[in-house]
Amino acid sequence: KAGVTQTPRYLIKTRGQQVTLSCSPISGHRSVSWYQQTPGQGLQFLFEYFSETQRNKGNFPGRFSGRQFSNSRSEMNVSTLELGDSALYLCASSSWGSGGAVIHEQYFGPGTRLTVT
Amino acid sequence: AQSVSQHNHHVILSEAASLELGCNYSYGGTVNLFWYVQYPGQHLQLLLKYFSGDPLVKGIKGFEAEFIKSKFSFNLRKPSVQWSDTAEYFCALPRGTASKLTFGTGTRLQVTL
């Protein structure tokens, strides 16, 4: 089974621009979560999508948004980029909601490293 | 509010030394816990998970962890580390059955030859 894939792997943007990151989950997984990883704040939850609906949201400003498509692929968008948005953005998928075990582990992609200059 | 704390930020060990990384949690609901590992340049991988039942959980690559409810802890252990265990280790707490994970700040383990 192919793992979680994220594109692009690296991005350099200028402050004020916007960016869209893409995530393709493991086949059959309908839950996709996004995390931001920085040296200072560690791993922080951004949001989770399930069946095209945002189910959970972390404490990030409205500049961070996402969506999920009918094939479970997900995108996240950051508008009006700030220097502090430089981070590794991780996508994770899980089989939550597909029946079976109560807790479903998350499988992480390699991440997109965003640098804002 | 749920939280996870890892007090060891950077640990340096020689090969064959024993390892114990601390993880403490704060959560009022049913507790499930994970340990993830991030090898240099690689993505996060699940090491082991605790859902319920036996508090001693065995994971991949010889790692194990013990859930001690009275101490709110889920420490990661390995009797003999290898140079290839050099990585960053994260303890994580899922919120209920949802896919929202609260991560600890991570422990960077460096194993020297």
Side-chain angles (χ1 to χ4, degrees):
Chain A
K1 224 182 215 184
V4 177
T5 57
Q6 293 186 245
T7 56
R9 294 292 310 278
Y10 302 91
L11 263 180
I12 300 175
K13 289 286 188 178
T14 303
R15 200 168 37 177
Q17 288 185 314
Q18 75 165 14
V19 68
T20 299
L21 312 181
S22 181
C23 170
S24 292
I26 290 172
S27 177
H29 285 187
R30 294 160 61 192
S31 168
V32 174
S33 299
W34 289 89
Y35 294 83
Q36 182 196 63
Q37 185 176 22
T38 59
Q41 299 296 319
L43 280 151
Q44 293 186 288
F45 173 79
L46 278 156
F47 29 66
E48 182 211 359
Y49 285 86
F50 178 77
S51 290
E52 302 177 65
T53 302
Q54 187 181 88
R55 188 168 59 177
N56 281 296
K57 190 176 188 305
N59 296 323
F60 279 82
R63 299 185 297 106
F64 291 82
S65 63
R67 60 178 176 168
Q68 187 180 33
F69 302 95
S70 57
N71 62 357
S72 294
R73 190 177 69 86
S74 177
E75 289 181 347
M76 68 163 279
N77 183 277
V78 188
S79 62
T80 319
L81 283 165
E82 299 177 0
L83 295 178
D85 297 333
S86 295
L88 182 66
Y89 290 89
L90 297 172
C91 168
S93 76
S94 83
S95 56
W96 195 97
S98 305
V102 174
I103 295 291
H104 298 258
E105 64 187 80
Q106 293 192 42
Y107 294 84
F108 284 82
T112 294
R113 184 163 297 282
L114 172 65
T115 302
V116 182
T117 62
Chain B
Q2 64 187 62
S3 66
V4 176
S5 58
Q6 294 179 246
H7 301 296
N8 313 107
H9 298 296
H10 190 191
V11 173
I12 303 173
L13 292 173
S14 300
E15 255 199 340
S18 64
L19 169 73
E20 181 159 4
L21 302 182
C23 171
N24 289 95
Y25 67 89
S26 172
Y27 185 55
T30 301
V31 176
N32 302 284
L33 289 156
F34 298 138
W35 273 99
Y36 279 88
V37 61
Q38 191 172 33
Y39 297 103
Q42 295 189 30
H43 57 272
L44 275 166
Q45 301 171 42
L46 185 69
L47 261 183
L48 47 80
K49 55 192 175 188
Y50 170 75
F51 287 173
S52 63
D54 190 343
L56 186 60
V57 179
K58 294 194 184 300
I60 61 171
K61 304 187 181 186
F63 286 91
E64 66 177 31
E66 185 174 12
F67 174 69
I68 304 180
K69 190 174 180 180
S70 61
K71 295 184 178 180
F72 301 93
S73 70
F74 188 57
N75 292 354
L76 180 70
R77 300 194 295 243
K78 187 171 184 179
S80 176
V81 294
Q82 300 174 309
W83 179 79
S84 58
D85 293 324
T86 294
E88 191 153 15
Y89 293 81
F90 295 91
C91 185
L93 176 69
R95 184 165 136 187
T97 58
S99 292
K100 175 180 176 178
L101 288 174
T102 297
F103 282 91
T105 50
T107 297
R108 188 175 301 276
L109 171 66
Q110 185 179 346
V111 180
T112 59
L113 295 172

